Amino acid sequence: MKQGRRDVMKAGMAAGALTALAPWAGGVAMAEPAEVPRDKTVTLVWTGSRDGRWVDFDLWNAYCIGSNHQNGPNLIYEPLAYYSAFADKTYMWLAETFSFTPDFRQLTIKTRSGIKWSDGAPFSAEDVAYTLNTLRDYGPKVKWGVDVKQAVAKATATDANTVVVDFVVPSPRFFFFMTYKYDIGVYIVPKHIFEGQDWSTFKHFDIAKGWPVSTGPWQVTNASLQQKVFDRRPTWWAAEAGLAPLPQVLRNIWLPSVGEQQMAQAMITNQTDASAGMQPATFPTIFRQNEKIITHAGRKPPFGYVDWWPISLFVNNEVKPFDDRDVRWALSYYIDRAQLIDVAYSGASQTSSLPLPAYKPLQPYFDVVKDLLQKYDTLAVNPKKGDTLLAARGYKKDGAGFWSDAAGEHIKLEIIGFGASGAGMGPVLSEMLKRHGIDAGFALPPDFDNRFQQGKFVGAIYGHGGSINEPYATLRLYQGSSIAVPGGHQANFARWKNAEYDKIVDEMFVTDPTDVPKLAAQWRRAMEIWLPELPDIQLVQNFHRIAMDTLYWKNWPTAENAYVNGAHWHLTFAMVLWNLRSA
């Protein structure tokens, strides 16, 4: 790491004595924040940056093109409700109650009274109705617009604390869709600020105006290429209502990652309190040098928890020859997942046979397709069968050992990836495929997100932002209508289409999510189509391996105290901050 960058990182990690930063993009210098003691500060590192910089430091509208809720807006926009998959519990928040009509064609939401935005304007049902109606009108132009447009006919604030949502079709999952869990949830925006703005370009950032405004306890007091700083506001409606304690954390500093080695060193020296995800091989070194560091799994493998985001090798089904299911299956047969885990994760991971996390509420859906998985074994290592499939498609190995078509063109698979999962698996995966005749390569491009979400890739290592308690959200990831929708989740990245499959998913959309037998039957019918097609190649469950420092703060979420998952980039991170206690 260059010395200048190292100095910037150290400055950001210093207790609360942050120096005045360079002028931000608008050309106005930011005020120097007041000092906050180190033991009242939580400093963390996140990889949602580029080249060690927060290139999105001025984007605080999570619907704005280029914005990412994982990079700080997750602390600004409070939800109607939180859901902890680990506790399997919903926490009503801006909303006090909700109820559907028996036919699921109408939803009534009661919002809490007495809540204000940080600029003093009252929060009300008008903000909720405005958010939903505007998302409906924007449709595919902004994140969640497609989902809202699919369901909502109109949302009406019938009084200051009541929203009535009328649906186009029965929509029994709609409140859960809006609820914050992992990366899924609708950001309720302040109507008095957003009205008249173009959501796709409006940044909601002006420190002098107090933007972004929030109903939560955090105010953005500094944002630059080097850091994002959130200071606790003196009061918070949820603390006054007895829903949560006023956080003991006075300042939260977010630093962009400059690499795993530097991130590990910062944890060893207690400069940071939480890391981004790291490789299993890094943790023994950290543990030896700092007895205060823990993970969700304590100080033992797998050094984390199973995330909601099982990882696959995605191939673009719109790019030949990967539009051919036999080619996709051949790739799958060439991959030895056990060896992949041994080499990439030091053995500290698990295979994933379906694009679902191994969570208890999803077990009935694994069980109902056991026989299908025996027939279509997505984890089978069978190079000879892969060879047979390719040979039957007219491919032959050339003198260099690569599978080639009649014109002599190789089956060429350029794989892109990002972060710890990409860096860990990418080189191993590409080498495995090469050894079986696939002309594969791997890269970690800085513009991975843009390329992947826009379909400008051939192969990619990525996860599934889908189901956590029933299968609809995962099935939606493969609907034709979900191709090329904005955002990193609930989108069809495989770019696979099947009309009969789409019909089954539409059936499930209107099915009561508590009707497990009916859902299981629909899931099985969908898998009878999906498994033979194998739109993407299953690899491993994703683990969040986050180092957490207990020198200054305790009550981090762990396996023994799993009140929520610990990722600071997820929409539920506010729950961690109000649970932390001074050590």
Side-chain angles (χ1 to χ4, degrees), residues 46-126:
W46 173 226
T47 57
S49 54
R50 189 178 305 155
D51 298 327
R53 301 179 303 158
W54 287 119
V55 295
D56 66 347
F57 70 88
D58 59 345
L59 299 182
W60 293 93
N61 164 18
Y63 297 110
C64 179
I65 301 300
S67 182
N68 184 348
H69 70 267
Q70 294 186 339
N71 295 356
N74 54 330
L75 290 184
I76 296 301
Y77 300 93
E78 291 193 300
L80 296 178
Y82 288 101
Y83 174 76
S84 167
F86 287 5
D88 192 20
K89 183 176 180 180
T90 295
Y91 301 83
M92 300 302 296
W93 210 248
L94 295 178
E96 195 165 34
T97 63
F98 71 96
S99 60
F100 287 94
T101 54
D103 61 1
F104 295 111
R105 285 186 172 270
Q106 189 179 81
L107 167 66
T108 299
I109 302 168
K110 293 286 187 179
T111 63
R112 297 184 191 273
S113 59
I115 302 174
K116 291 183 178 181
W117 295 96
S118 52
D119 63 358
F123 165 83
S124 76
E126 285 285 352

Side-chain angles (χ1 to χ4, degrees), residues 364-365 368-369 471 508 515-526:
Y365 306 102
V368 79
V369 295
M508 188 178 283
D515 189 344
V516 175
K518 188 171 182 179
L519 291 178
Q522 292 168 332
W523 161 255
R524 182 182 171 87
R525 286 167 53 212

Side-chain angles (χ1 to χ4, degrees), residues 363-491:
Q363 192 57 51
Y365 306 102
F366 281 92
D367 292 342
V368 79
V369 295
K370 278 184 178 179
D371 61 322
L372 293 177
L373 281 171
Q374 289 177 346
K375 183 177 180 180
Y376 304 105
D377 187 350
T378 58
L379 301 179
V381 184
N382 194 336
K384 288 184 178 180
K385 194 167 184 178
D387 291 349
T388 300
L389 289 172
L390 295 182
R393 288 301 193 196
Y395 293 98
K396 296 180 180 180
K397 282 193 175 180
D398 63 15
F402 289 114
W403 287 103
S404 304
D405 63 16
E409 293 292 326
H410 291 177
I411 298 180
K412 192 173 181 63
L413 180 60
E414 290 295 335
I415 304 168
I416 60 174
F418 80 104
S421 59
M425 283 195 293
V428 186
L429 187 59
S430 61
E431 182 60 28
M432 276 185 187
L433 294 173
K434 274 185 181 178
R435 291 181 180 183
H436 292 291
I438 304 298
D439 191 355
F442 176 73
L444 292 164
D447 60 345
F448 172 87
D449 282 340
N450 288 336
R451 286 175 58 180
F452 185 64
Q453 293 186 34
Q454 294 173 20
K456 297 177 180 178
F457 73 97
V458 180
I461 296 173
Y462 204 70
H464 300 79
S467 298
I468 54 178
N469 58 0
E470 52 97 3
Y472 170 76
T474 288
L475 292 185
R476 179 167 171 75
L477 297 179
Y478 300 94
Q479 273 199 304
S481 60
S482 299
I483 291 177
V485 301
H489 304 91
Q490 293 197 176

Side-chain angles (χ1 to χ4, degrees), residues 83-89 91 182 296 304-308 359 468 544 557-559 561-567:
Y83 174 76
S84 167
F86 287 5
D88 192 20
K89 183 176 180 180
Y91 301 83
Y182 295 101
H296 184 90
Y305 58 86
V306 175
D307 184 34
W308 72 312
Y359 288 172
I468 54 178
H544 277 167
T558 63
N561 184 25
Y563 54 88
V564 74
N565 67 300

